[in-house]
Amino acid sequence: MHLLTYFGDSMLLLPTAVIIAFLLRWKNDDKRAVWFWLLAFGCAGLVVSLSKIAFLGFGIGSVRFNFTGFSGHSAMSATLWPVMFWLLSGRLSVIWRRVLLIAGYLIPVIVGISRLELNAHSVSEVIAGLVLGFTLSTAFLLSQRTVRPRGFSLAQLCIALLVPVLLFSNGRVATTQQFLQKLSAQIAGIEHPWTRADLLKIKQ
């Protein structure tokens, strides 16, 4: 499960998002695509971060739905992988482009399931993250519906995937959650950030 959940880790996704921006500039005739992509990915990160700060710092969540903020792994992977696979499929036939696009949508679902199996998130948090990410990635892809990115040679593909593969093989995870915990506590002026256990005590 830890292997699957890494497909949603910021240590992998943030550098890959930057690579996508460069590839869009290089392989896409729509020069606005880079800005659309940065807006989509940035919005995902911003919404996830604000939801976590709201809970960690101020206890804003839902007891009923066991919700403490959007699942970052689910949201960010659902924003990134459909776009990445669409971008890499430009040289392929229609059938294979569709297969890759479906794979791009399936990976975040698997990431979300892995977060549940690891007890890192509740069902509501994973679903909310996936809905957020898929909304943003689909909006980006719709903005590119008349554009077909230029294909990659094998050498170009290897170069494009070099950094993501190295990061994946290294397996280092991001410390985003710990950073947000400290930041939220500082913003709220509290000694310790809120936890899920604190939220669920409200039920009692």
Side-chain angles (χ1 to χ4, degrees):
M1 281 301 163
H2 289 283
L3 180 65
L4 296 176
T5 206
Y6 195 69
F7 279 96
D9 194 275
S10 296
M11 185 65 74
L12 172 65
L13 297 188
L14 289 177
T16 305
V18 174
I19 290 172
I20 288 177
F22 280 110
L23 294 180
L24 284 170
R25 184 71 178 178
W26 178 26
K27 291 292 186 176
N28 197 326
D29 292 328
D30 184 359
K31 301 309 178 185
R32 303 170 303 168
V34 176
W35 301 109
F36 289 160
W37 165 243
L38 293 176
L39 178 63
F41 194 78
C43 281
L46 179 63
V47 172
V48 168
S49 298
L50 290 177
S51 72
K52 289 181 178 292
I53 291 172
F55 174 72
L56 294 169
F58 303 94
I60 299 174
S62 172
V63 178
R64 179 181 178 184
F65 295 106
N66 190 14
F67 184 83
T68 64
F70 291 87
S71 165
H73 282 67
S74 302
M76 304 306 284
S77 63
T79 305
L80 184 139
W81 292 117
V83 176
M84 183 64 161
F85 278 63
W86 164 80
L87 183 58
L88 296 179
S89 68
R91 193 174 184 176
L92 303 178
S93 65
V94 173
I95 293 178
W96 282 108
R97 289 208 309 272
R98 290 176 179 172
V99 168
L100 277 182
L101 192 59
I102 290 171
Y105 276 91
L106 283 177
I107 288 176
V109 174
I110 295 172
V111 169
I113 293 172
S114 74
R115 301 306 286 168
L116 295 176
E117 290 295 320
L118 293 171
N119 294 315
H121 285 289
S122 67
V123 173
S124 65
E125 293 162 357
V126 168
I127 291 176
L130 289 174
V131 169
L132 171 64
F134 284 144
T135 298
L136 291 168
S137 59
T138 302
F140 173 82
L141 292 176
L142 286 174
S143 76
Q144 302 298 299
R145 61 188 178 276
T146 60
V147 178
R148 181 174 177 179
R150 293 188 293 276
F152 291 79
S153 67
L154 181 59
Q156 291 172 344
L157 185 62
C158 291
I159 293 172
L161 296 178
L162 178 61
V163 172
V165 169
L166 288 176
L167 289 169
F168 194 87
S169 62
N170 183 270
R172 288 187 60 187
V173 298
T175 57
T176 311
Q177 184 68 16
Q178 292 86 338
F179 170 76
L180 288 174
Q181 287 174 341
K182 294 179 181 178
L183 177 63
S184 300
Q186 290 176 351
I187 292 174
I190 57 179
E191 186 173 351
H192 300 290
W194 277 66
T195 65
R196 190 180 303 276
D198 296 327
L199 178 70
L200 296 181
K201 284 180 184 178
I202 300 175
K203 282 186 177 181
Q204 302 173 358

